[in-house]
């Protein structure tokens, strides 16, 4: 079955070299065969082809780099991707996660701040930043980020609140 699926994915790619879904499938099938370099080669193409699959594929690319003992190269992959597409929020989050997991907390915070400067309402970035600040014991920064988060929540609630039509006087004496 896996062999037939691999052949089908390769056939799909012969017909359409830019088929991101076929590349994702091919990468998964290559990992099943123990071919981590081949999986990496397939998955590394996906973010440029289909931004909606990028965040999912970044996890796979990271695992493939680790499997071939080149975990440090994941950062370079992400930086190159972000350079080509600076608005790649998933790439920046993956980069911050990678930096944080290697102990580069200050660089991770810098990347998250850069993302939040462009997209202040990105709750996932705020979550990652908040957890990093908690882990580092940076209380002043935690309070500041929490205040910003409360402001964002308040703005979101106000933006979605529907004014209700008055149902009549709340107190009959008000109109006497």
């Amino acid at each position: 079955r896996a062999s037939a699926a691999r052949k089908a994915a390769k056939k799909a790619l012969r017909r359409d070299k830019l088929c991101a879904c076929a590349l994702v499938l091919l990468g998964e099938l290559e990992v099943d065969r123990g071919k981590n370099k081949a999986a990496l080669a397939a998955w590394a193409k996906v973010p440029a082809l289909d931004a909606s699959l990028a965040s999912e594929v970044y996890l796979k690319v990271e695992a493939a780099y680790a499997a071939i003992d080149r975990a440090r190269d994941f950062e370079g992959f992400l930086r190159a991707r972000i350079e080509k597409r600076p608005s790649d929020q998933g790439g920046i989050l993956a980069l911050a996660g990678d930096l944080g997991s290697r102990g580069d907390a200050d660089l991770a915070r810098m990347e998250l701040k850069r993302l939040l400067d462009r997209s202040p309402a990105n709750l996932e970035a705020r979550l990652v930043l908040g957890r990093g600040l908690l882990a580092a014991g940076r209380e002043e920064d935690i309070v500041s980020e929490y205040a910003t988060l409360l402001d964002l929540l308040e703005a979101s609630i106000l933006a979605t609140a529907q004014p209700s039509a008055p149902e009549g006087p709340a107190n009959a004496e008000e109109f006497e």
Side-chain angles (χ1 to χ4, degrees):
R1 275 197 185 284
S3 175
R6 188 172 176 276
K7 285 179 185 176
K10 291 233 178 210
K11 183 177 181 180
L13 288 167
R14 279 193 300 277
R15 290 185 179 173
D16 180 4
K17 293 179 184 186
L18 305 178
C19 182
C21 291
L23 285 166
V24 172
L25 175 61
L26 181 61
E28 291 169 358
L29 294 167
E30 296 295 6
V31 165
D32 289 345
R33 293 179 40 200
K35 306 285 185 179
N36 292 303
K37 283 185 181 180
L40 177 60
W43 288 331
K45 297 173 188 173
V46 173
L49 299 174
D50 189 340
S52 70
L53 295 173
S55 291
E56 169 193 339
V57 169
Y58 288 142
L59 296 172
K60 296 175 186 299
V61 170
E62 180 180 25
Y65 272 120
I68 62 172
D69 294 321
R70 290 180 40 206
R72 296 284 300 194
D73 291 347
F74 183 54
E75 178 184 351
F77 167 80
L78 290 171
R79 288 195 183 281
R81 177 73 191 126
I82 294 164
E83 186 175 316
K84 289 179 185 170
R85 188 170 168 255
S87 63
D88 185 350
Q89 294 183 16
I92 296 169
L93 283 167
L95 177 59
D98 181 58
L99 293 168
S101 70
R102 290 197 334 248
D104 292 332
D106 289 336
L107 285 175
R109 276 193 294 280
M110 186 176 75
E111 293 296 336
L112 290 167
K113 288 289 198 177
R114 189 175 72 160
L115 171 57
L116 290 168
D117 286 345
R118 276 188 253 140
S119 182
N122 185 314
L123 295 180
E124 188 174 0
R126 294 225 174 262
L127 174 67
V128 173
L129 179 60
R131 294 230 186 266
L133 293 171
L134 280 170
R138 296 180 60 158
E139 292 183 24
E140 281 185 33
D141 292 332
I142 293 167
V143 171
S144 174
E145 282 302 315
Y146 187 68
T148 301
L149 183 58
L150 289 175
D151 291 342
L152 289 168
L153 289 172
E154 182 178 38
S156 175
I157 290 167
L158 291 174
T160 59
Q162 298 291 327
S164 58
E167 295 179 16
N171 185 345
E173 287 93 18
E174 289 179 21
F175 294 96
E176 289 184 7

